[in-house]
Amino acid sequence: MASEIDVRRLRLPEIPARRLFVGLAAVAFWVWLLAQWTNDWVLSRLGVGPGAGEQPLEREPIDGLAVDIVASADVYGPLAGVVEWIGSFVGMIAVAVDIAPALAAGAWYTIVLTVVSILLGLLIAVPLAVVRVYGGPLRWPALGYIELIRGTPLLVQLFVLYFGLPLAVWLHGVETVGQGPIPDQAFIIAIIGFTINSSAYQAEYIRGALESVDRGQLTAARSVGLSQFEGIRYVVLPQTLRYAIPAWTNELVYLIKYSSLAAFITVPELYFRASRIASRTFEYTAIYASLAIVYIAIVLTATAIMSRIETRVAIPGLGQAEGRHQGQTEGERT
């Protein structure tokens, strides 16, 4: 018996093929992204490597390989179409290699814009949701703000902030804006716009979670001497924020994709850079396919991080992540 236990301990854990593939793809993506950022921000300033915005791989050899494959397609007879498709795919890889530095730079803006906006939006959304549920007459101004923001397109809100208000002119006059680590006025306005928009949606997600907490818990908190604010702060909100994590994850995914709207006010994020290159080279399919892969990788990473957070903060028997997997078999969960 003892020897069987020892063998089980020495055996490597079984990892499903799907999870292994996704994990390897995620590692490859982030290794590339971090290596490109390190090259652009650190190595290039030290005079090491190919320089900022460049990479060690050259496009020409891969392009040559794609041309050779397509040229040899007729040799394969009935499989000529498949060989031509392989050649086209290799050609798309050559394009992806060529635009990789630009996509890496754009990914930085997309990630920063998303993370900062959702965190600042959360700071606004929590008190807004509390007021919506417990604020008495104050709930109506909060409701007005939420419905105004949710009822208008994000792009319109960005245009109002960037073109309609003197905010861009005022920021342009500030000497430190656009200098060093401080972003330019377009990026700052994009963060303001995304924060405002996200706060309204997050407030509704949190309101729904607030209302799912039994009001008897707040009554019990009051009965032991806590004020209503303390009861909300120490009893209701900790549960609420746990309940809201799945909806919050959806909001994070939406923000990552909607960050492409910042391109319309000249923020050089992912879509902005890809569309500029595509309009110059007319290689739309390869460029937008590469862009989609980058977005998918960022979204899957964000989803995985939020899933891990949800599991770590779950309270046994109270809104656990496992409780939302009803009807699935053990194999499906893995």
Side-chain angles (χ1 to χ4, degrees), residues 86-174:
I86 294 174
S88 300
F89 182 73
V90 174
M92 292 175 65
I93 294 176
V95 174
V97 168
D98 191 37
I99 66 172
L103 293 183
W108 170 254
Y109 282 89
T110 295
I111 293 171
V112 172
L113 175 61
T114 302
V115 172
V116 173
S117 298
I118 198 166
L119 292 178
L120 292 179
L122 179 63
L123 295 179
I124 300 173
V126 171
L128 204 59
V130 172
V131 171
R132 279 274 285 127
V133 178
Y134 299 102
L138 293 177
R139 70 181 60 183
W140 300 113
L143 177 62
Y145 170 84
I146 292 171
E147 295 305 326
L148 173 65
I149 300 302
R150 292 203 310 162
T152 53
L154 174 57
L155 187 58
V156 172
Q157 296 164 13
L158 290 176
F159 282 167
V160 169
L161 288 171
Y162 191 72
F163 298 112
L165 299 178
L167 192 57
V169 177
W170 180 78
L171 288 172
H172 185 70
V174 179

Side-chain angles (χ1 to χ4, degrees), residues 98-99 102 273-284 287:
D98 191 37
I99 66 172
R273 293 175 186 271
S275 63
R276 291 297 185 275
I277 298 173
S279 62
R280 189 175 65 249
T281 62
F282 301 104
E283 296 172 312
Y284 290 99
I287 291 173

Side-chain angles (χ1 to χ4, degrees), residues 174-254:
V174 179
E175 293 183 358
T176 54
V177 172
Q179 303 295 323
I182 300 177
D184 62 14
Q185 67 268 23
F187 192 62
I188 295 175
I189 291 174
I191 288 178
I192 294 172
F194 277 77
T195 297
I196 292 172
N197 185 273
S198 180
S199 67
Y201 285 93
Q202 290 187 67
E204 280 301 277
Y205 298 147
I206 296 172
R207 179 187 65 82
L210 270 173
E211 292 178 340
S212 67
V213 177
D214 189 350
R215 284 181 177 265
Q217 295 193 30
L218 184 57
T219 304
R222 298 294 303 274
S223 68
V224 296
L226 296 179
S227 65
Q228 176 158 313
F229 175 79
E230 291 172 333
I232 295 171
R233 165 68 179 82
Y234 296 109
V235 177
V236 178
L237 271 182
Q239 301 174 62
T240 297
L241 295 179
R242 288 178 171 86
Y243 289 147
I245 288 178
W248 205 49
T249 303
N250 282 337
E251 176 65 13
L252 179 60
V253 171
Y254 283 135

